[in-house]
Each structure stands twice: as C-alpha cells, then as structure tokens.
Amino acid sequence: NAGVTQTPKFRVLKTGQSMTLLCAQDMNHEYMYWYRQDPGMGLRLIHYSVGEGTTAKGEVPDGYNVSRLKKQNFLLGLESAAPSQTSVYFCASSYSAGVQPQHFGDGTRLSIL
Amino acid sequence: GQQVMQIPQYQHVQEGEDFTTYCNSSTTLSNIQWYKQRPGGHPVFLIQLVKSGEVKKQKRLTFQFGEAKKNSSLHITATQTTDVGTYFCAGPTTSGTYKYIFGTGTRLKVLA
C-alpha cells in the first residue's frame, strides 16, 4: 500500500519552462490537494479537488493549473515557471470532507533558476 | 481573511524538558487537526479534536481544544530527541470544510 506518491522528487527548471507534477493515491480518496511550503509560511493551498473531474482554486492558485481526469491522480502544472515558484510542493488526499485526516506525499522539491 | 497563527515559531529545549505550542484562529473552528513534520519529511497526521474543551492524550503528548473553539494547544511532557520537527495545527476554512488552513507551525529542536 503506497499511499500518496509524488513524482518527481526533485527538479530544477529554468525560468519560462513548463512542467507537470504528478500525484497518485491508492486509497480511493475523493479529496485531493496541492500545497506549497515555503520557509516560515507553513502550508498554503494551491488547488484542490473534491472528486474526479472537479477542481477548484485554493489560497495561492496564480501561475498553476490542475487536472483530475482519474480519481486516483491529481496533476499540478506550471505553464511558465518563475523563480517565485521555487518551493516544496506537497500533495495530500483525504477520504471525505471535514473531519478526515489528510495523507501527504513525500513532496517535490522544485527550484526555478 | 481567516488566519491561523501558532506560537512560538521556534523552540529549543533540553531533552527531558516540557514543550507547548499554541494555535490561535481568527474564527471559530468546527474541528482542529494537528500534524508533525520531521526535518526533510512530510506532514503526518497526529490527532483531531472536535468538541469544545476536548482533551486527548497520546503517550507524552496532550492536545486541548479551547472552550470557544478558537484555540488549541499541544503539550509534550519530557521531550525526547525523537520529538524534533515542526508541529502544525490546521482548521477548516469558513468557506468550506473540505479545505483546511494550516498554521504557521512551531519548529521544535531538542538538545541532548
């Protein structure tokens, strides 16, 4: 049982390049989330999904797009990377809303030069 | 906007000393969750509190939810080096319980 798997684990991009971060969960969870973590700022929600085919904006959505074509996968895209997007990105999933714990992946460490 | 603040931001303790982190929300929360993140790791769910005034214990860890459901605390008795990490609280946003807002975190270092 892998839980939540994120790929890649590390990546270095040049300004203006694009890339997609993949999150896969094998727990049949309905809800999935993308966060970014920056020093001293905790976890900030980028986008989230409450089910297959649905996505919604979180706290800091600008510069990112997401897709949830399959229930188990949640993709985060950067169309034109900027240095301000250098961060650690975490994907999380939960069984349902409200009082369910979130299960996090190991994170993707992304540097934009 | 809705905010969840934690104090202190950093705490260094000698092994064996107690540690407490406080979480304060600008709004009333229906529930609150606590997570621990080891250095270089990912957040791991510790516990959830739902009821006003609720107190839960996990071995040396004691969690409290305030009577007004706007604050919470985590207390660790007799810290050990394995307690090192950052502790986050998280509460559901006022715009929907399927979104959580995380506190700024308290980073704990334990000196042996």
Side-chain angles (χ1 to χ4, degrees), chain A residues 1 15 17 36 40 52 58 62 69 81 97 113:
Chain A
N1 190 344
T15 298
Q17 287 185 319
R36 61 177 289 173
E52 180 179 309
D62 293 343
L69 299 179
L113 305 178

Side-chain angles (χ1 to χ4, degrees), chain A residues 71-82:
Chain A
K71 185 178 183 178
Q72 62 268 33
N73 296 336
F74 195 28
L75 279 63
L76 177 70
L78 286 71
E79 291 186 347
S80 180

Side-chain angles (χ1 to χ4, degrees), chain A residues 15-85:
Chain A
T15 298
Q17 287 185 319
S18 63
M19 79 161 295
T20 300
L21 281 65
L22 171 64
C23 176
Q25 54 94 3
D26 62 2
M27 297 174 283
N28 200 33
H29 285 171
E30 287 292 335
Y31 293 77
M32 297 189 75
Y33 309 83
W34 276 107
Y35 295 91
R36 61 177 289 173
Q37 184 174 36
D38 303 293
M41 300 195 71
L43 292 155
R44 292 184 293 168
L45 182 64
I46 305 171
H47 286 280
Y48 64 99
S49 168
V50 301
E52 180 179 309
T54 73
T55 63
K57 294 181 180 180
E59 180 186 0
V60 288
D62 293 343
Y64 305 95
N65 56 76
V66 288
S67 64
R68 182 111 181 259
L69 299 179
K70 293 183 179 181
K71 185 178 183 178
Q72 62 268 33
N73 296 336
F74 195 28
L75 279 63
L76 177 70
L78 286 71
E79 291 186 347
S80 180
S84 61
Q85 294 177 305

Side-chain angles (χ1 to χ4, degrees), chain B residues 4-5 9 13 17 26 28 30 51 62 64-65 71 74 100 111-112:
Chain B
V4 177
M5 303 298 292
Q9 189 174 5
V13 299
E17 291 182 339
S26 59
T28 301
S30 59
K51 299 177 182 178
T62 302
Q64 291 188 325
F65 200 9
N71 55 72
L74 159 58
Y100 274 76
L111 307 174

Side-chain angles (χ1 to χ4, degrees), chain A residues 31 33 35 37 39-45 48 50 57-59 90 97-107 109, chain B residues 9-10 30-31 33 35 37 40-45 48 50 86 88 90 92 97-105 107:
Chain A
Y31 293 77
Y33 309 83
Y35 295 91
Q37 184 174 36
M41 300 195 71
L43 292 155
R44 292 184 293 168
L45 182 64
Y48 64 99
V50 301
K57 294 181 180 180
E59 180 186 0
F90 286 102
V99 295
Q100 297 295 324
Q102 293 185 43
H103 300 261
F104 285 80
D106 289 339
R109 284 150 180 80
Chain B
Q9 189 174 5
Y10 301 97
S30 59
N31 65 83
Q33 298 178 344
Y35 292 80
Q37 183 177 23
H42 60 272
V44 175
F45 175 79
Q48 181 170 268
V50 179
T86 302
F88 293 99
T97 56
Y98 36 81
K99 291 188 295 180
Y100 274 76
I101 181 168
F102 279 76
T104 46
R107 182 181 296 180

